[in-house]
Amino acid sequence: MSARLNGVQPYALGLFRIVIGLLFACHGAASLFGVLGGAAGTDGGTVDAGAWPGWYAAVIQLVGGVLVLLGLGTRAAAFIASGSMAYAYFKVHQPGALWPIQNGGEASAMFCWALLLFVFTGSGAFGLDRLFTRRSSTTESVERTPVTA
């Protein structure tokens, strides 16, 4: 059973990455463009452009979410996005109460840890990272072939 599950692990990880990236990007789109119910606490509105930290967090959510969704620069995008969620949790939610269930920070905590997982695992299957990695490693092997005259 474990061997079978291990064989499909990259595909499960890839699907997990796609879902997390999509959900994360939706948060950014809601805050920046007022879609999907808009930014939290604005009755369908948006965050003010350049407002700290909300607007910057929304940009990280949208751009980072799309990059994670596509599996492009996954590790770097996930690292920055995870850090932004850690900041959101500790600066916005945690001062209200100790536990995420009490302070409304469940989404921040879950996104933080889910994105941090991608820093260590990479994109899994279906990611553009893998496509470029295969292409560049094929190119490198050709370039490293010694030429004899």
Side-chain angles (χ1 to χ4, degrees):
M1 177 98 167
S2 289
R4 183 175 286 168
L5 291 174
N6 288 343
V8 298
Q9 183 178 359
Y11 303 103
L13 184 62
L15 290 173
F16 182 67
R17 175 189 45 78
I18 290 168
V19 170
I20 293 296
L22 177 65
L23 294 174
F24 199 60
C26 285
H27 276 275
S31 296
L32 291 174
F33 308 121
V35 297
L36 306 169
T42 63
D43 292 327
T46 61
V47 294
D48 294 331
W52 177 259
W55 186 82
Y56 295 94
V59 170
I60 290 171
Q61 290 167 359
L62 181 62
V63 174
V66 169
L67 289 172
V68 168
L69 169 69
L70 296 174
L72 185 61
T74 304
R75 291 177 192 257
F79 180 75
I80 293 167
S82 177
S84 76
M85 288 295 95
Y87 178 88
Y89 181 77
F90 287 109
K91 289 301 255 183
V92 177
H93 298 286
Q94 201 276 329
L98 178 62
W99 296 101
I101 194 76
Q102 295 173 313
N103 63 32
E106 293 118 323
S108 296
M110 289 292 290
F111 276 126
C112 178
W113 286 104
L115 291 162
L116 187 63
L117 177 67
F118 297 130
V119 174
F120 296 98
T121 63
S123 63
F126 317 119
L128 294 178
D129 284 346
R130 293 186 134 205
L131 178 69
F132 292 129
T133 302
R134 275 193 211 129
R135 193 175 287 167
S136 67
S137 52
T138 304
T139 305
E140 287 176 12
S141 65
V142 170
E143 291 174 359
R144 289 184 183 171
T145 306
V147 178
T148 56

